[in-house]
Amino acid sequence: MTHGYTTGTNPGPGSDPESTPAYGIPQQRQQETELAPAPTKAKGGGGRDRYLDLLRSIALVRVVIYHLFGWAWLSVLFPSMGVMFALAGSLMARSLNRPSLGVIKGRLRRLLPPLWAFSAVVLVMMFGMGWNPLKDPDMGGTWWGAAKVLDYIVPVGAPPYPEHLGSESGLLESSWADQAAGPLWYLRAYLWFVIASPLLLWAFRRIPWATLLAPLALTAVVGTGLITIPGETGNAVSDFAVYGGCWVLGFAHHEGVLKQVPRYLAVSGATLIMGFGLWWASGHLGPDGWDLNDIPLAQATWSFGIVVILLQYAPSWQTLPGRLARWDKLVTLSNNRAVTIYLWHNLLIMATVPIIDQLYNLPFMESDAATSFLDKADTFLMFLLIWPLIALAILAFGWIEDIAAKRRPRLWPNGVSGGGSRRRGA
C-alpha cells in the first residue's frame, strides 16, 4: 500500500529552513541545537545549566513532531531554530575566552565526524541506487559540479542530491534523498556562524545594540524580496540574517547584557517586535498559511522576541526542579546526542513508512475496516515508531559524538552510572 503523502519542492532563495516538506511532512531544509553542545555551566556553580539543556531538548522534540505532522502553528508556539541558535551563540561566546582558532577547530572536530557517518550512509545509498553526480543535469554534468559532493564532508555549501531516486514502489519514496539531506542546511549555517563568531563577538563588545539588531535589518533587505540573491547563496545569506539576531542574543546572554536591561523594558520591546512579526506574516502568508518558516522577516522577528523573553527569565538550574526532574534522564540523553538525533530523524521518519506498510500484509488486517483504520492512523503510528528508531540510531551512531569530543564512547549517556555518567567538562 502506498501512502498518499506529497513531497515538497526545494525552497527558493530567502525561504526559511523548515519550509521543505519531508515525506509529506513539512521539513526543515535544515530544522531545528547547538548540535554537539559544549557543557553549559550554571551561574554561580560548576555543572550544566539545566534550563538551557531543557530548552535544547524541547527544541529537538519540536523538530521531530513538526516534521511528522507539519503543523504550521508549531513555528509560532516554539521557534526551535531561533532557540537553538541562541543557545549555540551563548556557548560560543563562553568558549571564545580561549584563542579563536582553537575554539573553531574544536567546534568543527565535534561536529564533523557525526556528519561523516551520516553522509557515508546516505551517499552509499544514493550511489547504490544509481545516482551519478557527473551525469546529474542539475549539477551541470561537470567535475566542478560533482565536486559539490565534498559538502557532505565539510558543509560550506549545500550538499547535492537527486530530487528523485528510485521508484514510487520502492522501499523508500523516490524523494527520500531530498528529504534525508534536508537537515544539513543547519550544519552549513552553524559552520558559518562559528567562523564568523570571533568577529561578531568583537563587534558586539564594542557596539552591542547595533550588532544585535543588524541581522534583523539585513533580513528586512534579503528576506522580503527587496534584494534577491539567487540560488543557494541566497539561502545561506537569508539563514544567516534570519537567525543572526538569535545567535547574537546568545552573546548578550553570556555577557550579561540582557540582565542589564530592566525586565519590563526587555519584555515590552520583545512583545512589540513579535507583534510586528505576526503583522508582517498576516500579509505574507505562504502555501502553509501561518508557518513562519515560509516568511523570513516574520520568523526572524518572532524568534528574536521569544528568545529575549526565554533568556530574560532564565533561571539558573543545576538540577531540574519539581516535576521536571522526572525528565532528567531524557534531557541528559538528548543533549548528549543532539547531533545524532538531528541528523538522522528525517531519514528515520521515512523509514517508518515501509514498516507500517507491512501491517497491511497481516492476515487479520485484510478487511476494509482494518485497512481504513490503518489509513487514518498511519501518521500516529509513525509518531509511535520514530522514537524507538531514534533510540536505535543513538545506539548505532551516537558514540561517534563521544569520539569527536575526545570522550570515552558511551552507548546510552543519560546521566545514569554505567550509561554514561554526567561529568563536568564532558
Side-chain angles (χ1 to χ4, degrees), residues 15-245:
S15 62
D16 190 271
E18 280 185 340
S19 61
T20 308
Y23 203 71
I25 308 150
Q27 148 183 326
Q28 300 168 311
R29 231 180 339 104
Q30 52 198 298
Q31 208 83 20
E32 301 175 9
T33 141
E34 196 212 294
L35 300 183
T40 316
K41 292 191 177 181
K43 299 168 188 172
R48 298 182 63 101
D49 188 326
R50 300 299 278 167
Y51 175 72
L52 300 187
D53 285 350
L54 178 63
L55 288 182
R56 185 179 295 108
S57 297
I58 293 172
L60 281 170
V61 171
R62 205 285 269 166
V63 170
V64 176
I65 293 176
Y66 175 90
H67 285 170
L68 270 168
F69 296 102
W71 293 328
W73 54 267
L74 283 174
S75 67
V76 178
L77 178 66
F78 192 81
S80 288
M81 294 317 298
V83 170
M84 301 234 287
F85 278 114
L87 300 181
S90 179
L91 293 171
M92 191 67 188
R94 180 171 64 85
S95 297
L96 284 172
N97 291 325
R98 306 191 301 272
S100 299
L101 183 59
V103 171
I104 292 173
K105 289 171 61 177
R107 284 286 186 260
L108 294 181
R109 188 195 70 239
R110 295 168 69 97
L111 186 68
L112 294 181
L115 169 64
W116 295 340
F118 176 81
S119 297
V121 171
V122 170
L123 286 173
V124 166
M125 291 174 64
M126 290 195 296
F127 293 150
M129 296 178 70
W131 181 56
N132 185 343
L134 284 172
K135 297 181 180 180
D136 189 332
D138 292 333
M139 300 177 66
T142 64
W143 281 102
W144 178 253
K148 294 179 181 179
V149 172
L150 295 176
D151 285 322
Y152 281 99
I153 301 175
V154 180
V156 294
Y161 50 83
E163 290 191 11
H164 298 282
L165 188 64
S167 65
E168 295 295 336
S169 59
L171 186 62
L172 292 175
E173 194 266 348
S174 65
S175 68
W176 73 267
D178 183 8
Q179 311 303 337
L184 299 184
W185 80 272
Y186 177 86
L187 276 69
R188 176 187 65 191
Y190 176 79
L191 173 66
W192 287 113
F193 274 126
V194 166
I195 293 172
S197 281
L199 178 60
L200 286 175
L201 186 58
W202 176 87
F204 177 77
R205 286 171 173 169
R206 285 155 180 79
I207 44 172
W209 297 109
T211 306
L212 187 61
L213 298 176
L216 296 181
L218 181 59
T219 305
V221 175
V222 300
T224 61
L226 187 62
I227 292 180
T228 300
I229 303 174
E232 282 300 326
T233 300
N235 287 332
V237 172
S238 180
D239 293 339
F240 195 91
V242 168
Y243 296 107

Side-chain angles (χ1 to χ4, degrees), residues 265-321:
L265 187 59
V267 173
S268 298
T271 302
L272 289 174
I273 292 174
M274 293 162 62
F276 169 81
L278 292 183
W279 171 79
W280 180 266
S282 68
H284 300 81
L285 298 180
D288 296 313
W290 281 88
D291 194 329
L292 300 186
N293 296 295
D294 297 328
I295 316 168
L297 185 57
Q299 176 73 290
T301 50
W302 182 260
S303 298
F304 186 94
I306 289 289
V307 167
V308 167
I309 293 173
L310 289 174
L311 295 182
Q312 183 68 259
Y313 282 90
S316 183
W317 292 340
Q318 291 191 2
T319 59
L320 294 176

Side-chain angles (χ1 to χ4, degrees), residues 242-281:
V242 168
Y243 296 107
C246 293
W247 185 275
V248 179
L249 276 173
F251 292 174
H253 174 68
H254 174 267
E255 300 285 297
V257 173
L258 280 182
K259 292 300 183 182
Q260 296 174 11
V261 181
R263 180 170 290 175
Y264 77 90
L265 187 59
V267 173
S268 298
T271 302
L272 289 174
I273 292 174
M274 293 162 62
F276 169 81
L278 292 183
W279 171 79
W280 180 266

